[in-house]
Every structure is written in structure tokens, then in C-alpha cells.
Amino acid sequence: MLNLKPKILTIFLARRFLSGLGLVLLIISGIIFAITFVERLPAYDSAISAANTAYISLLAYIPIFLPLAVFMGTLLTSYNLIRSSESVIISGAGLSPWQKMKPFVITAFLIGVFTITVINPYAVSKGANNIGIESFELADNAIWLREADKDGSFIMRAGGISQTKGGGLSFTGVSVFIQDKNSTFQQRIEAKELMLTNEGFFIKSAHAYGAAGLPHDIKDWHRAAQTNPANFLERNLKPDQVSFWRLPKMIMNMAKMGMPIRGHLIQLWTLLFLPLTLIAMTTLGTAFSQTRERRNFSFGGKFSIGIVVCFALYFTMNVFGALGTSGALPTILSVLLPPLIITAFAATWIVSFEAI
């Protein structure tokens, strides 16, 4: 039996895994970036702006395609080890599939931790400078805002939104409806742009219609606001537009206000259990790469079958997520069950293979 130092072998296998995963990530990222860049190019004045938006979108997609990339990276690394006969040498040193898998699992776990604690907040912070209507949960394909006080209510419908350099929000295609405290219609305002700052709502120029329906122009319209740009974004952004570090506090605040939080809980658990999901996909990749063939290893066949299975698992995870969002399953179980089932299935497969 060969005498290989465990630390040296662990570092060697971890480096091989990182190189295989890096190649897969480079290919997947390149495809996603190219598609997003071409899709956004007609909407921007320059290719640099379109490339920047594609880069931000790519960062946001990383937690989504990372489990697939880890699975494919595990397959590719295992194939390279078998093809170069290094797998035979490692097995000859007395290492079981579990011991060979350990560096892959540790590396995948660390990548998951780095993704949720660093990459996700960075992606959200970059995306915050490009807030658009696609970042919000919409009703009637528009953004709605309602405020009520002792004098009446303010209802706004906007067709677009962007963030200004000063931190305010600019709403476009705006219709404002103002009612008194008895919910009696008082005024409708049609404006190209409405600004929301910490000081309230501002409209430079607009057309206003009174209760009688007669139009008149207004200039420099202002109204005090109970909301501000920061808490408006917190209440209305999609769950994946909020960073991992801000989600817990945001969920507690939304629960106090009686707002639906299941979507945000799903996002929180998905990020929190991402390292576990990567471990599950690493275990599954190891199970798929099990073979006793030293030559003529059918990597293409196993790789193709593995991709099909991986997409099936991705679909299954989405089904569990939908069950959690609808309330059919507790949110934590809808996220936690898929990686646990995958790990149990893959571990059983490896044990069965060793027993043959």
C-alpha cells in the first residue's frame, strides 16, 4: 500500500476539483453572459452599459446555477482522475470513495459559504444601482403605492421605476388618485415622472383632473410621505433582490406589518442551505462517476444522463419551493428536503456500488 500523506492528497484533490469546477463555471457563465448581453444590447446606448447589466445579472444567477455547476465539476474531475490513472493510485493507497470525496465536499461547502456571505450581498449591492420594474412583484404589470392618513388617502400607479444618484426613486408613467378621509374622490394627477425622496413626493409638472373632471396644469406639486425610498424598496423588492444579511430583519419587519413573507422565507432558507445543496450535488456527482473501468470509461454517456437527472432534480426543487410558497409545506422543509433526499439517494448508490 502506498504511503501518501493525507494533507497532501487532500490539497491535491481539492485543487483538481477547483480546476474542474472552474472550467464548468467559466463555460456556463460565458453562455449566460453572452445571452444576457445580446438580449440587453438593443435597450442601451452603449455596449459597455449592456455588458455591465449582463455582468450584474450573471452575479444574481450564480446561486441558481451553482449546484448544477458543482455536479458537472465533480463529474469532470472524477473523469480526469480516472483517465490519468490517478484514481487507481488513490484507491491503491487505501482510500475509499468516501475519503476521496471528502476534499470535494469540503471545497463545495466553502464555496457555498462564500457565495451566500460575499457574492450574494455584492450582487445585490451592484443590482441596487440598476433598480428597474423587473425587480418588483407587480400587480396589473405596474407598481402600486397606497398611503392613508387622517386627511385621506394617496394611491399611485407607476409604469416604471429607477433609482436616482441622490438615493431617491423616480417613478415614470404615473397616475395619482387622491381621496378624502371619507374615501371620496378629489383629484387625479397624470405625470410623466414622480420623485420620492426622504422629504416626500414631488412632481415638477403634470395634468390634474378634479372631481368635476375638468383638467388643469400643475407645477412643483409636493405631498408629505409616510414612506421613504429605503423602506419602499424593502417592502416591494422581490426576495432575490435582498441580500442574505438583510433578509432576517426584513422578514421580521414584514411579519409585524402583516405582509406575506413566505417568498422571502424561501429565499432565506435557499441561501442558508446552499452549502448543504452543494454537498448533495457533490455526493451525487461522486455516485455517478463510480466505475471499475480503467479504460474506455463512457464519460459522455454518464455525463449526459447526469445532466438530465440534474435538470429533473432542479425541477423537483422548484416544485418543493412552490409547495412551500403556497403553504402546502413548511418553508424550511420545502428547501431542506430536496438536498437531504439527494444526499441519501447518492450515499445509498455509493454504498451499493462498494458492496458489489
Side-chain angles (χ1 to χ4, degrees):
M1 183 179 295
L2 295 177
N3 183 20
L4 295 177
K5 293 183 179 180
K7 185 176 180 181
I8 295 176
L9 189 56
T10 299
I11 294 174
F12 168 77
L13 290 174
R15 290 177 61 183
R16 293 299 296 270
F17 176 72
L18 281 174
S19 63
L21 177 59
L23 178 61
V24 172
L25 282 175
L26 185 63
I27 294 173
I28 296 178
S29 299
I31 294 173
I32 293 176
F33 179 84
I35 293 174
T36 309
F37 174 72
V38 172
E39 185 183 68
R40 302 292 176 88
L41 189 58
Y44 288 87
D45 297 332
S46 66
I48 295 177
S49 299
N52 182 58
T53 303
Y55 168 68
I56 295 171
S57 299
L58 174 62
L59 291 175
Y61 287 138
I62 287 179
I64 298 175
F65 67 76
L66 189 57
L68 174 62
V70 166
F71 173 76
M72 296 168 64
T74 305
L75 281 180
L76 181 60
T77 304
S78 299
Y79 167 70
N80 289 332
L81 291 173
I82 293 170
R83 186 182 61 176
S84 62
S85 297
E86 290 168 325
S87 181
V88 177
I89 298 173
I90 294 171
S91 298
L95 268 70
S96 67
W98 304 104
Q99 292 171 311
K100 288 190 290 185
M101 186 179 69
K102 184 179 177 181
F104 298 173
V105 169
I106 294 174
T107 305
F109 176 82
L110 293 177
I111 290 173
V113 172
F114 180 77
T115 299
I116 64 176
T117 58
V118 178
I119 295 181
N120 172 260
Y122 174 71
V124 170
S125 66
K126 292 289 290 183
N129 298 324
N130 293 269
I131 290 294
I133 196 167
E134 69 279 354
S135 305
F136 294 82
E137 300 284 1
L138 303 178
D140 190 28
N141 292 321
I143 297 173
W144 289 84
L145 172 63
R146 185 182 186 277
E147 289 191 350
D149 55 29
K150 62 179 181 178
D151 297 322
S153 60
F154 168 93
I155 303 171
M156 181 198 72
R157 181 187 186 277
I161 185 174
S162 61
Q163 201 164 25
T164 64
K165 292 182 179 179
L169 296 175
S170 171
F171 298 92
T172 56
V174 175
S175 296
V176 174
F177 304 90
I178 299 176
Q179 300 173 330
D180 62 18
K181 60 183 179 181
N182 297 317
S183 299
T184 302
F185 172 78
Q186 287 189 319
Q187 190 179 43
R188 174 168 64 92
I189 301 174
E190 299 287 342
K192 292 182 178 180
E193 183 182 37
L194 178 145
M195 297 291 297
L196 172 61
T197 68
N198 291 328
E199 285 74 39
F201 300 106
F202 295 89
I203 296 178
K204 290 183 178 180
S205 64
H207 298 293
Y209 302 83
L214 299 176
H216 63 278
D217 294 335
I218 57 175
K219 300 287 186 181
D220 299 323
W221 180 88
H222 170 259
R223 181 185 175 95
Q226 297 174 358
T227 188
N228 57 54
N231 59 40
F232 175 84
L233 292 177
E234 284 192 353
R235 290 200 307 266
N236 294 278
L237 283 175
K238 290 181 180 179
D240 58 2
Q241 300 288 332
V242 183
S243 75
F244 171 76
W245 299 113
R246 290 174 53 201
L247 267 173
K249 184 178 180 180
M250 181 176 175
I251 290 171
M252 288 190 293
N253 291 338
M254 292 177 66
K256 290 179 182 178
M257 292 186 289
M259 299 178 65
I261 59 174
R262 282 192 169 273
H264 293 77
L265 282 173
I266 291 290
Q267 176 68 6
L268 175 63
W269 299 133
T270 299
L271 290 174
L272 188 62
F273 294 128
L274 180 61
L276 178 61
T277 302
L278 298 188
I279 290 175
M281 300 309 285
T282 303
T283 308
L284 184 64
T286 302
F288 259 91
S289 62
Q290 294 297 293
T291 182
R292 290 186 172 83
E293 300 177 21
R294 298 187 182 184
R295 296 181 180 180
N296 300 322
F297 175 54
S298 180
F299 173 74
K302 284 201 172 186
F303 192 80
S304 301
I305 296 173
I307 296 303
V308 173
V309 171
C310 199
F311 277 110
L313 292 173
Y314 179 75
F315 173 77
T316 303
M317 288 181 181
N318 285 339
V319 171
F320 272 90
L323 291 174
T325 303
S326 66
L329 270 179
T331 54
I332 189 170
L333 284 182
S334 67
V335 176
L336 186 58
L337 281 178
L340 291 179
I341 293 172
I342 293 171
T343 303
F345 168 75
T348 303
W349 187 347
I350 295 174
V351 171
S352 301
F353 185 85
E354 285 187 294
I356 296 176

